[in-house]
Amino acid sequence: MKKLLLAASVLALTACSAPSEPQLTISPEPVIAAQPVANGQPVSIDSRDLRTAQFVAVVDSGRQNVQPIHATQNLRVTLEDALTRQLSAQGYRVTEDSEGTLRLDILEAMVNVKHSVMSHDLNSKLQLQLVVETPKGKFVKRYSGKSERSGAMSASVEDMELAMNNLITAVLKDIYADPELNTYMQENL
């Protein structure tokens, strides 16, 4: 019995140390406002991931060898958290029971990587949609970004993470600085 227990323990530890598929750590930097623009207006935040595939990167190394790569954490939750921190810094009070809601829809978030032994190309795309609904009306706007990078040797996981994090951060800056969105939220929440 002791030998069986020892064998099972060794097998379990071996399984834990087996190599796993690479994953990307997505951690965008929201814009933290120096001066709040909202006066504690309440807003509820919701989000949906409307992408057809749940991976965030595709690596094509030729000869029909394509590898999808997922994020280490749920992308919808990560982006909702970043947007929540950004809106809180702007002076909005994020709450569960508000008449006004802001919904974040993820339409596209992908890093396409084509690489060979000597070089790689990274093409990143991000498209988000914000829907603000209040008793006074509805505001819908899409925010998108693209980036392209090339480099020597094959692309690393860190290269892909940097490309996606920089792109998400740039789109969050666009959302922060959008006068239409800010005016609508301040006047209608």
Side-chain angles (χ1 to χ4, degrees):
M1 187 66 161
K2 287 182 182 178
K3 288 182 181 180
L4 184 61
L5 184 60
L6 181 63
S9 298
V10 169
L11 184 62
L13 289 174
T14 306
C16 290
S17 66
S20 61
E21 293 292 319
Q23 293 184 324
L24 301 185
T25 300
I26 306 299
S27 55
E29 290 294 321
V31 178
I32 303 302
Q35 207 56 26
V37 293
N39 296 322
Q41 291 137 304
V43 63
S44 298
I45 296 183
D46 189 19
S47 59
R48 300 185 306 183
D49 192 344
L50 302 176
R51 298 174 299 151
T52 54
Q54 297 305 302
F55 45 84
V56 292
V58 174
V59 179
D60 182 356
S61 51
R63 296 187 181 154
Q64 299 179 354
N65 185 12
V66 177
Q67 176 188 19
I69 299 177
H70 294 270
T72 55
Q73 67 284 357
N74 187 309
L75 183 63
R76 181 191 62 77
V77 172
T78 301
L79 290 177
E80 183 179 320
D81 179 57
L83 188 60
T84 299
R85 289 187 292 152
Q86 184 166 302
L87 290 172
S88 295
Q90 285 180 269
Y92 293 99
R93 187 170 46 89
V94 179
T95 179
E96 294 287 323
D97 56 348
S98 170
E99 288 184 353
T101 60
L102 182 145
R103 188 182 74 230
L104 168 67
D105 294 334
I106 303 170
L107 305 176
E108 184 176 18
M110 182 66 67
V111 179
N112 286 306
V113 183
K114 287 191 181 276
H115 72 79
S116 63
V117 177
M118 301 304 284
S119 67
H120 69 268
D121 293 317
L122 289 171
N123 294 311
S124 307
K125 292 181 182 178
L126 178 69
Q127 187 173 45
L128 305 176
Q129 178 174 273
L130 292 185
V131 180
V132 181
E133 290 188 72
T134 68
K136 299 176 184 176
K138 186 176 188 177
F139 176 88
V140 180
K141 189 165 183 180
R142 288 187 180 186
Y143 300 87
S144 60
K146 293 180 182 182
S147 71
E148 296 179 8
R149 290 183 44 205
S150 296
M153 308 307 279
S154 57
S156 68
V157 168
E158 291 78 18
D159 292 333
M160 292 179 254
E161 288 174 346
L162 184 65
M164 183 53 76
N165 284 323
N166 287 347
L167 187 56
I168 293 172
T169 299
V171 171
L172 286 172
K173 285 180 182 174
D174 289 345
I175 292 170
Y176 171 80
D178 183 3
E180 277 183 299
L181 174 66
N182 289 321
T183 301
Y184 186 85
M185 288 180 68
Q186 289 172 21
E187 292 177 355
N188 295 289
L189 286 179

